[in-house]
Amino acid sequence: MPEAARASRCEGEIALAEFDRLRDNGARFVTVLANAGYGSNAAFRRALDERSLRFAVGILCTQKVYADDVALVPPPDRALKVIPDQNLRTVEAVLDELELFLFSGSC
């Protein structure tokens, strides 16, 4: 088995590699269907979108889904409390850090 194939990867990474391999060999996909195990992974969904694949994925009943233009804003009468020894980060920064973690092979 080639060394590259022995690397530890998440299921989503394996699935994306298979999509890429199959496309490189001429396969065409009309729609990708995946269960909530894949659907709850934002990085996986984003990667499908970046590959211009149309997809329908399951999500957990506890997962919140928002339109792109929705902004989460605290009520105006509440002050945002900073937790000692923690810096506030934007949602985008947290998601970027999570994506790096998921695709670094550390999952």
Side-chain angles (χ1 to χ4, degrees):
M1 180 181 286
E3 186 64 36
R6 288 186 230 169
S8 174
R9 298 182 293 171
C10 300
E11 286 182 8
E13 291 173 313
I14 295 168
L16 291 169
E18 281 299 298
F19 283 128
D20 294 340
R21 184 182 69 77
L22 291 168
R23 279 182 127 182
D24 291 344
N25 286 302
R28 293 184 185 180
F29 299 96
V30 175
T31 304
V32 174
L33 302 175
N35 66 21
Y38 293 95
S40 61
N41 183 335
F44 179 76
R45 295 189 316 266
R46 192 174 302 117
L48 290 176
D49 196 41
E50 289 168 356
R51 287 166 171 78
S52 300
L53 292 168
R54 188 169 68 173
F55 61 91
V57 295
I59 59 171
L60 301 173
C61 65
T62 56
Q63 187 167 345
K64 306 260 188 285
V65 179
Y66 301 97
D68 288 339
D69 60 347
V70 171
L72 301 178
V73 181
D77 59 336
R78 282 183 152 172
L80 186 61
K81 296 179 182 176
V82 178
I83 300 171
D85 298 329
Q86 286 192 351
N87 296 324
L88 293 178
R89 297 183 293 166
T90 65
V91 171
E92 291 78 15
V94 173
L95 290 175
D96 288 343
E97 184 179 310
L98 179 61
E99 186 173 346
L100 286 173
F101 172 77
L102 291 175
F103 284 110
S104 69
S106 304
C107 47

